[in-house]
Amino acid sequence: MFGRLFQCMLLAGTLAAPFVVAVCDAAERPNVLLISIDDLRPELKCYGAGHILSPNIDRLAESGVVFDRCYVQVAVCNPSRASTFTGLRPDRLGCWTLPVHFRESMPDAVTLPQYFRQHGYTCEGIGKIFHNPWQDPRSWSRPHQWPDAKLTHYSPEQKAFRAKVAETIEEDDWRHNNLRGVIANAPDIDDVEHMDGAMTVMAVDRLKELSQSEQPFLLAVGYIQPHLPWCPPKRWWDKYDRDSLPLADNPYPPKNAPEVSVGTNYEMTHYADAIDVPKPHEGSVSDADARRYRHAYFASVSFIDAQVGKLLDALDEQQLADNTIVVLWSDHGWKLGEHNGWSKMTNLEIDTRIPMIIRAPEAKANGQHTNRIVESLDLFPTLCDLTGLPIPEFLDGHSAASLLNDPAAPHTGVAYSQYIWRPLIGNSIRTDRWRYVEWRDMDDATIKHQELYDHKNDPDENVNVFGQHPEVEDDLHIRVQKVLVPHKIVLRPRIHSARGTQRTNVTLNNGYDGKVRVTWINPLGQRRNTFDIPAKEKRPLNTFVGHVFSIESLDGRYHELITIGRNDEILRLGDRPMAADK
């Protein structure tokens, strides 16, 4: 669309209108650098938070368009990323929770990078793009990469502390044999010794090589911090004075709201020094702990901000900035004591609202903010629009490209989100003034709880005013049902193993030209027991009749599902590719 793409425009000189680009050679299309930051809430200087050190993200904001009201479809990693990168709502995709991979709920879904591959792009992924550890090989032109560096850098003393706490965990506790280390660490290391710092080195190297290609690229870089555990290098902790950091203004659950509205804080209690963090309705952490947690989070943000700066510098050094669209995006927000919460996993504003910045070279609104409501799944069609690719009809999102030239241009004006706390699913609608949430039974879809928040008078959603605005409630009730149609929620996806009763031995013979990854999909439809088979090699497998395995080549060109039959002895892999991408 920009730079070299000006010559391809159908409507030259009309950049205030929605983007319309003629079909042109792939080499003339702009590149895309997609920066994904886990658990990043819009508490940055460019979003008005003066206490945060984020000069590089602020630099991107000054040269791009800041989306002040962008919302995810589910405020937890796996389904949020699946929805964003397929452009489909969770209800349609069948992916609402952490354990289920979207390939089991909708095997033929086409992801954003997969679609760009099909249209001539080289697409590469580094780090956490989809949910760990399933980085979806068919989305990438070359095998997805992780850096060979540690995340936590725990000391021997910290490891011993975890072991000591683990001895106190009862056998019937969900953390038994599953307790993690301390929740925060400040290792005295260089940035490049940290997993996220090493990721930046890899990404810069890839930008150098990709800059030499005639083919446009989409490079996705997914940082882990500020996801738990917070372990940025010590020097980033030293940039903050813990005692001066602000605490949450509303350390209490919303008044009149059901307990399910704010979740449980269980994510925090996974860690050895935070196992006693109370549920939001049961109490608050101490101010000292609250400051420690916020200090750790803010230090993590500033560390990642520095990595973003190195990526932006690399674009300039490789003379790519004028023909590369840059997107900075997060998979959801995070509560840092708001509503007594220390996690994501709700339908509230604090968890569903994310930072999103898009810099498209020569866009007229660069350096400005837009207050229009957009959804995370709008990113897929927006990038199609900006690069001149046809927008697929199967997408649920809507292009927000016009906002890059006119921040006040009309958009949908509404966002929808969902969250499951079994046995309930919460369906939410966010309009310019209101957030309405209805909690339904997952089995029969009956309404159990309702919430209404008035953002004109209560932007922090501290008081549930449902019952006080019947006309508004009736309207929002009708609107949310049209998009999030009430139905029975079945978490087990269509692809799953039968419950095996007959054991069998088979040999998997990899006839493909490269390494393949074999993943067992258990009877709940969850991926387990992954292993690789090198090219032209065999592997014996003791399993059950009716068990299902996903077979994927790491180069993204071959994939299939196999179900173990009664008479199977040797299964040759690689001969029956399913819709393999070029």
Side-chain angles (χ1 to χ4, degrees), residues 541-555:
L541 180 66
N542 180 257
T543 184
F544 286 91
V545 172
H547 275 195
V548 176
F549 293 83
S550 167
I551 317 295
E552 301 173 297
S553 66
L554 299 190
D555 63 9

Side-chain angles (χ1 to χ4, degrees), residues 169-317:
I169 304 296
E170 300 292 337
E171 288 188 12
D172 60 350
D173 191 305
W174 65 275
R175 292 162 297 190
H176 183 70
N177 293 329
N178 193 33
L179 184 69
R180 296 176 180 172
V182 295
I183 204 166
N185 189 26
D188 192 4
I189 58 174
D190 292 333
D191 286 4
V192 295
E193 296 178 76
H194 188 284
M195 179 180 288
D196 283 327
M199 200 178 301
T200 301
V201 174
M202 294 178 67
V204 170
D205 287 345
R206 294 308 305 147
L207 286 172
K208 290 178 181 178
E209 183 168 334
L210 291 167
S211 70
Q212 303 303 310
S213 174
E214 292 297 321
Q215 191 174 11
F217 66 80
L218 184 156
L219 177 63
V221 184
Y223 291 111
I224 302 296
Q225 305 273 257
H227 192 289
L228 294 174
W230 299 305
C231 299
K234 180 180 180 297
R235 72 188 189 96
W236 298 103
W237 292 75
D238 294 342
K239 293 181 181 295
Y240 290 91
D241 174 16
R242 181 178 298 185
D243 292 337
S244 68
L245 295 177
L247 298 180
D249 293 329
N250 55 345
Y252 47 83
K255 185 179 179 181
N256 306 323
E259 288 190 17
V260 71
S261 68
V262 289
T264 67
N265 289 339
Y266 90 89
E267 185 179 11
M268 292 282 284
T269 65
H270 215 145
Y271 294 86
D273 56 341
I275 60 173
D276 294 324
V277 169
K279 295 179 181 179
H281 280 88
E282 295 178 351
S284 304
V285 303
S286 67
D287 283 357
D289 277 342
R291 290 189 187 280
R292 179 168 75 97
Y293 298 151
R294 290 172 74 89
H295 186 187
Y297 183 93
F298 297 154
S300 298
V301 170
S302 292
F303 167 52
I304 295 302
D305 174 81
Q307 309 314 306
V308 172
K310 293 175 183 178
L311 296 181
L312 298 179
D313 290 344
L315 289 179
D316 291 334
E317 292 166 2

Side-chain angles (χ1 to χ4, degrees), residues 143-190:
H144 171 275
Q145 294 181 285
W146 283 102
D148 185 18
K150 295 179 180 179
L151 176 68
T152 60
H153 294 269
Y154 289 143
S155 68
E157 293 77 14
Q158 289 169 327
K159 292 177 181 179
F161 173 78
R162 190 214 70 85
K164 184 176 181 179
V165 174
E167 293 176 357
T168 70
I169 304 296
E170 300 292 337
E171 288 188 12
D172 60 350
D173 191 305
W174 65 275
R175 292 162 297 190
H176 183 70
N177 293 329
N178 193 33
L179 184 69
R180 296 176 180 172
V182 295
I183 204 166
N185 189 26
D188 192 4
I189 58 174
D190 292 333

Side-chain angles (χ1 to χ4, degrees), residues 232-534:
K234 180 180 180 297
R235 72 188 189 96
W236 298 103
W237 292 75
D238 294 342
K239 293 181 181 295
Y240 290 91
D241 174 16
R242 181 178 298 185
D243 292 337
S244 68
L245 295 177
L247 298 180
D249 293 329
N250 55 345
Y252 47 83
K255 185 179 179 181
N256 306 323
E259 288 190 17
V260 71
S261 68
V262 289
T264 67
N265 289 339
Y266 90 89
E267 185 179 11
M268 292 282 284
T269 65
H270 215 145
Y271 294 86
D273 56 341
I275 60 173
D276 294 324
V277 169
K279 295 179 181 179
H281 280 88
E282 295 178 351
S284 304
V285 303
S286 67
D287 283 357
D289 277 342
R291 290 189 187 280
R292 179 168 75 97
Y293 298 151
R294 290 172 74 89
H295 186 187
Y297 183 93
F298 297 154
S300 298
V301 170
S302 292
F303 167 52
I304 295 302
D305 174 81
Q307 309 314 306
V308 172
K310 293 175 183 178
L311 296 181
L312 298 179
D313 290 344
L315 289 179
D316 291 334
E317 292 166 2
Q318 300 304 318
Q319 299 182 337
L320 290 168
D322 290 341
N323 196 47
T324 300
I325 297 164
V326 180
V327 178
L328 185 140
W329 168 90
S330 177
D331 51 356
H332 41 70
W334 222 85
K335 294 182 293 298
L336 288 171
E338 294 84 3
H339 305 306
N340 268 353
W342 295 92
S343 185
K344 51 263 190 183
M345 305 179 189
T346 75
N347 280 311
L348 296 172
E349 185 87 359
I350 192 73
D351 290 334
T352 58
R353 179 171 168 253
I354 62 167
M356 187 168 77
I357 303 170
I358 300 179
R359 184 178 79 183
E362 302 183 44
K364 291 183 177 179
N366 281 344
Q368 300 181 49
H369 289 237
T370 177
N371 198 41
R372 292 295 190 226
I373 292 176
V374 298
E375 297 184 272
S376 185
L377 52 71
D378 292 339
L379 182 59
F380 194 152
T382 299
L383 286 177
C384 288
D385 221 348
L386 294 176
T387 56
L389 300 184
I391 297 177
E393 294 183 0
F394 60 75
L395 298 180
D396 289 333
H398 302 272
S399 173
S402 61
L403 297 173
L404 300 184
N405 287 315
D406 179 6
H411 197 55
T412 62
V414 65
Y416 300 89
S417 62
Q418 299 178 279
Y419 200 80
I420 285 177
W421 282 111
R422 287 186 284 185
L424 303 179
I425 181 170
N427 294 334
S428 174
I429 180 173
R430 174 67 158 92
T431 66
D432 189 59
R433 177 172 176 178
W434 305 97
R435 176 180 297 282
Y436 168 73
V437 187
E438 53 186 33
W439 291 93
R440 293 180 175 270
D441 185 280
M442 291 171 59
D443 189 48
D444 62 16
T446 56
I447 294 178
K448 301 299 183 181
H449 307 287
Q450 290 166 283
E451 302 170 66
L452 183 70
Y453 300 98
D454 180 358
H455 276 258
K456 180 179 179 180
N457 298 303
D458 179 24
D460 293 331
E461 298 182 341
N462 292 326
V463 181
N464 176 17
V465 295
F466 182 80
Q468 300 179 26
H469 303 274
E471 292 185 2
V472 171
E473 293 157 11
D474 289 345
D475 174 63
L476 296 177
H477 170 69
I478 292 171
R479 292 175 67 182
V480 75
Q481 288 187 97
K482 288 182 178 179
V483 175
L484 305 178
V485 179
H487 66 286
K488 180 176 182 177
I489 302 296
V490 178
L491 295 181
R492 186 172 71 174
R494 64 188 249 202
I495 304 299
H496 60 273
S497 289
R499 294 195 178 275
T501 58
Q502 180 182 341
R503 277 203 172 271
T504 186
N505 290 298
V506 299
T507 297
L508 301 182
N509 183 358
N510 182 13
Y512 186 67
D513 289 336
K515 182 184 294 184
V516 298
R517 179 152 295 161
V518 181
T519 305
W520 175 51
I521 303 168
N522 74 11
L524 296 177
Q526 301 169 0
R527 294 193 165 197
R528 295 288 187 270
N529 301 349
T530 293
F531 58 88
D532 294 342
I533 305 178

Side-chain angles (χ1 to χ4, degrees), residues 9-269:
M9 292 187 60
L10 289 175
L11 300 178
T14 61
L15 281 181
F19 292 99
V20 182
V21 181
V23 175
C24 58
D25 292 338
E28 297 176 318
R29 299 189 189 280
N31 307 306
V32 178
L33 174 61
L34 173 61
I35 305 170
S36 171
I37 305 177
D38 208 345
D39 283 19
L40 181 67
R41 62 194 229 158
E43 190 172 8
L44 302 160
K45 189 160 289 185
C46 56
Y47 278 88
H51 55 281
I52 296 292
L53 302 176
S54 55
N56 295 290
I57 297 177
D58 300 338
R59 170 166 49 122
L60 177 63
E62 291 169 358
S63 60
V65 174
V66 178
F67 288 77
D68 286 336
R69 293 196 292 177
C70 181
Y71 298 90
V72 296
Q73 285 63 66
V74 185
V76 73
C77 304
N78 179 48
S80 175
R81 292 165 183 267
S83 177
T84 298
F85 296 129
T86 62
L88 304 178
R89 296 197 184 280
D91 262 11
R92 187 169 163 212
L93 188 59
C95 181
W96 301 271
T97 60
L98 285 173
V100 173
H101 192 292
F102 70 90
R103 290 292 181 196
E104 275 67 82
S105 59
M106 187 179 286
D108 295 329
V110 177
T111 69
L112 189 159
Q114 186 179 3
Y115 186 74
F116 272 58
R117 282 185 64 198
Q118 293 169 354
H119 286 79
Y121 273 74
T122 295
C123 295
E124 299 187 12
I126 301 173
K128 187 175 179 180
I129 309 304
F130 297 95
H131 187 53
N132 298 336
W134 315 308
Q135 295 305 316
D136 196 51
R138 73 192 77 171
S139 288
W140 311 113
S141 304
R142 69 199 302 264
H144 171 275
Q145 294 181 285
W146 283 102
D148 185 18
K150 295 179 180 179
L151 176 68
T152 60
H153 294 269
Y154 289 143
S155 68
E157 293 77 14
Q158 289 169 327
K159 292 177 181 179
F161 173 78
R162 190 214 70 85
K164 184 176 181 179
V165 174
E167 293 176 357
T168 70
I169 304 296
E170 300 292 337
E171 288 188 12
D172 60 350
D173 191 305
W174 65 275
R175 292 162 297 190
H176 183 70
N177 293 329
N178 193 33
L179 184 69
R180 296 176 180 172
V182 295
I183 204 166
N185 189 26
D188 192 4
I189 58 174
D190 292 333
D191 286 4
V192 295
E193 296 178 76
H194 188 284
M195 179 180 288
D196 283 327
M199 200 178 301
T200 301
V201 174
M202 294 178 67
V204 170
D205 287 345
R206 294 308 305 147
L207 286 172
K208 290 178 181 178
E209 183 168 334
L210 291 167
S211 70
Q212 303 303 310
S213 174
E214 292 297 321
Q215 191 174 11
F217 66 80
L218 184 156
L219 177 63
V221 184
Y223 291 111
I224 302 296
Q225 305 273 257
H227 192 289
L228 294 174
W230 299 305
C231 299
K234 180 180 180 297
R235 72 188 189 96
W236 298 103
W237 292 75
D238 294 342
K239 293 181 181 295
Y240 290 91
D241 174 16
R242 181 178 298 185
D243 292 337
S244 68
L245 295 177
L247 298 180
D249 293 329
N250 55 345
Y252 47 83
K255 185 179 179 181
N256 306 323
E259 288 190 17
V260 71
S261 68
V262 289
T264 67
N265 289 339
Y266 90 89
E267 185 179 11
M268 292 282 284
T269 65

